[in-house]
Amino acid sequence: MKIAVIGLGYVGLTTAACLASRGFKVTGIDIDKHKVETINEGKTPFKEPRLDKLLKRSGLRCSTDYAEAVDADFVFISVGTPAGPGGEIDLSYVAGAARSLGEVLASRRKPCTVVVRSTVVPGTTRGLVKNELEKSSGKRVGEDLFLCVNPEFLREGNAVHDTFNPDRIVIGDDWGSGGKNLLRLYHRFYRRRKPATILTNTVNAEMIKYASNAFLAARISLINEIANICQHIPGADVTVVSKAIGLDKRIGPYFLNAGLGYGGSCFPKDVKALIKYAEKLGETPRVLEAVDNVNMMQPLKAVELAEKLLGSLRGKTAAILGLAFKPNTDDIREAVSLKIIKTLLEKGCTVKAYDPAAIENARKVFGDTVSYAPSAEECLRDADFCIVATEWEEFRRLGPDDFRKLMREPVVVDGRRIYDPERFMEKVEFAAVGLGL
Ligand code: NAD
């Protein structure tokens, strides 16, 4: 069975490498020539655990030429769907991919199944994607071309694991055959470990993806709001509160870690896109707006806490531990570190930063307005205060003595709640999100 994957980002490349590793013949297509060359040299263009190894033994071949997709039985579209200038979804990459694909499919005799894997607002598959494909291929969806939507739920940093072990598979099909074809492919891919599957129409499948991200983002903003309240109550600690509420089966323990807010390439843009989409339908999505607003302000809590401990930050040296939007990735899109660093620079701080994976990406944003340390220890050396912005495992291993020994002033703001407050408060000036002082 031949498969083509269009768009080789975190989603597309992981999907392509996982499918290829299970013996499917996969071709990757991307318009980014440099990315294609990097992958063809056996290297991943971004950091994602296990992907490097998988790619090396997968035999995946990539190209910038859509003609390479012409004989595929399945074509997955997994190009980006970023936020437009007003927060609305930008579907231009999806439209471009569907159009280019349609052009090469025009000469094809056998029907193939096109699968939309990008996150798209409801109505996109049966509207824009179908129209672009039909217009450029001259074929009819449901007759000589199959189409379905199959949103992706993987988490960056766990992308390979999640691809092999999804909680569920959601497929949307309005025409009858594409979804069933895809199910057959997944039966072969997952063999005996069949994940729960929802086969529905395209708009439900598209909405399920947005609703999932909206729920997860809402949990984060809600626990962060509880944390912000706790911070004003001497003796209160949101980690104790969240542990207890997570034991309630109706609530559950996941996504209840208070911190500096969510970042990355999905939650922020998907919440905003859903707000804009709802507004276009005449709805006022008040909860989603609140989720977004809380999240936009949350990174600044770290700066407020530093000011509480130190007073004015002007002229001070800040050590920022963590640049990536979450651990185990080099992705800094919408990372909270960006907002924190920008604010600290505006306040006249000198900023030193360290991240195990994301320094090169941060350098593209901040250039040499920030200095980059080769290790956490070097980052802390002679700093006046430290903000933990990403909960990398190696930061958890630092103890209060490390901060005391290395920093000019041992002032620590735990933005990700990775340290035991009692242990730290004995030896350093300590503040943390959701910890009442
Ligand atoms: P990405 O930005 O990492 O990669 C997108 C790729 O598409 C880029 O390599 C780009 O060059 C390529 N591209 C753009 N236009 C193209 C075209 N016309 N033809 C061929 N290639 C083209 O994106 P991503 O993070 O992999 O996300 C892809 C989609 O999956 C988005 O809709 C996103 O919302 C969704 N998603 C992402 C994640 C995640 O964790 N990153 C998880 C679930 C869903």
Side-chain angles (χ1 to χ4, degrees):
M1 208 177 273
K2 287 186 185 164
I3 298 165
V5 177
I6 298 176
L8 299 170
Y10 292 84
V11 168
L13 184 56
T14 306
T15 307
C18 289
L19 284 163
S21 76
R22 290 256 159 109
F24 294 97
K25 194 165 182 302
V26 185
T27 306
I29 311 278
D30 202 290
I31 48 172
D32 182 337
K33 193 164 169 262
H34 178 65
K35 194 176 249 188
V36 165
E37 283 168 2
T38 306
I39 300 168
N40 283 341
E41 285 163 15
K43 292 184 249 167
T44 46
F46 46 80
K47 294 211 168 58
E48 184 58 48
R50 293 173 58 195
L51 189 58
D52 237 353
K53 260 197 195 147
L54 198 69
L55 185 65
K56 282 198 178 81
R57 58 181 165 85
S58 69
L60 175 72
R61 294 306 300 165
C62 298
S63 171
T64 53
D65 185 0
Y66 270 73
E68 302 276 345
V70 74
D71 60 346
D73 302 294
F74 289 88
V75 184
F76 288 7
I77 297 180
S78 44
V79 299
T81 47
E88 72 291 349
I89 190 170
D90 174 358
L91 287 168
S92 60
Y93 300 101
V94 172
R99 201 175 313 126
S100 305
L101 175 63
E103 281 163 12
V104 298
L105 293 181
S107 62
R108 186 185 157 109
R109 295 237 173 86
K110 247 176 34 184
C112 82
T113 300
V114 178
V115 184
V116 178
R117 307 226 63 221
S118 303
T119 301
V120 293
V121 289
T124 304
T125 303
R126 64 163 69 146
L128 177 119
V129 176
K130 175 175 177 281
N131 293 344
E132 291 292 349
L133 277 173
E134 289 186 334
K135 221 167 33 184
S136 55
S137 69
K139 295 183 187 298
R140 293 292 304 260
V141 166
E143 290 171 19
D144 33 19
L145 188 60
F146 304 124
L147 177 62
C148 63
V149 57
N150 169 220
E152 175 59 69
F153 298 96
L154 64 74
R155 298 161 298 169
E156 275 179 38
N158 290 280
V160 172
H161 172 272
D162 290 353
T163 301
F164 285 125
N165 306 280
D167 287 345
R168 78 305 207 183
I169 291 172
V170 175
I171 299 173
D173 181 1
D174 295 342
W175 302 275
S177 296
K180 288 189 190 124
N181 293 345
L182 185 60
L183 263 182
R184 276 194 289 276
L185 170 72
Y186 283 149
H187 282 165
R188 287 179 58 178
F189 179 74
Y190 291 108
R191 298 169 191 159
R192 255 174 278 157
R193 314 174 68 198
K194 285 192 196 88
T197 303
I198 308 284
L199 183 55
T200 179
N201 61 25
T202 56
V203 287
N204 279 337
E206 291 161 335
M207 193 63 195
I208 287 166
K209 173 65 191 176
Y210 278 97
S212 298
N213 279 359
F215 260 82
L216 294 171
R219 276 177 80 102
I220 297 173
S221 280
L222 184 53
I223 197 67
N224 283 342
E225 190 151 275
I226 302 284
N228 297 343
I229 299 168
C230 284
Q231 236 163 265
H232 294 278
I233 312 168
D237 185 345
V238 73
T239 60
V240 179
V241 175
S242 64
K243 191 171 174 201
I245 60 177
L247 291 171
D248 186 327
K249 288 192 184 64
R250 295 166 302 176
I251 298 173
Y254 303 108
F255 274 72
L256 285 182
N257 294 332
L260 297 174
Y262 56 79
S265 68
C266 290
F267 289 176
K269 78 163 173 69
D270 289 349
V271 170
K272 285 189 171 67
L274 188 53
I275 291 171
K276 290 291 161 193
Y277 179 75
E279 284 172 355
K280 252 173 85 180
L281 299 176
E283 276 302 314
T284 307
R286 293 183 184 85
V287 174
L288 293 175
E289 277 165 5
V291 167
D292 189 39
N293 286 336
V294 169
N295 195 62
M296 287 206 291
M297 300 310 292
Q298 196 64 14
L300 301 181
K301 291 285 166 196
V303 180
E304 272 174 36
L305 286 172
E307 282 173 331
K308 209 164 162 184
L309 293 176
L310 274 173
S312 167
L313 300 179
R314 176 163 296 280
K316 305 269 191 225
T317 299
I320 305 298
L321 292 184
L323 294 162
F325 87 91
K326 65 190 276 194
N328 301 324
T329 181
D330 60 353
D331 197 344
I332 59 160
R333 288 180 284 185
E334 302 280 336
V336 300
S337 64
L338 304 183
K339 213 173 253 177
I340 293 169
I341 292 174
K342 206 167 151 269
T343 308
L344 292 176
L345 290 173
E346 280 163 11
K347 284 182 181 280
C349 290
T350 301
V351 176
K352 286 206 283 181
Y354 168 69
D355 188 282
I359 287 178
E360 284 320 306
N361 283 336
R363 207 188 290 277
K364 288 177 203 153
V365 177
F366 292 110
D368 51 17
T369 56
V370 167
S371 64
Y372 307 94
S375 65
E377 286 75 9
E378 283 310 311
C379 187
L380 294 177
R381 197 177 297 285
D382 297 330
D384 296 306
F385 66 102
C386 165
I387 293 175
V388 179
T390 314
E391 62 277 34
W392 281 94
E393 200 50 45
E394 67 173 82
F395 302 156
R396 291 179 194 272
R397 289 196 289 270
L398 295 169
D401 289 329
D402 297 308
F403 290 90
R404 249 170 86 117
K405 196 173 69 198
L406 293 161
M407 295 176 73
R408 193 174 325 159
E409 300 283 342
V411 175
V412 180
V413 175
D414 182 356
R416 294 298 184 181
R417 299 310 311 263
I418 60 174
Y419 298 129
D420 174 4
E422 273 183 32
R423 200 171 145 234
F424 269 68
M425 274 170 169
E426 271 177 19
K427 297 191 170 169
V428 300
E429 286 289 305
F430 185 79
V433 170
L435 185 68
L437 291 177

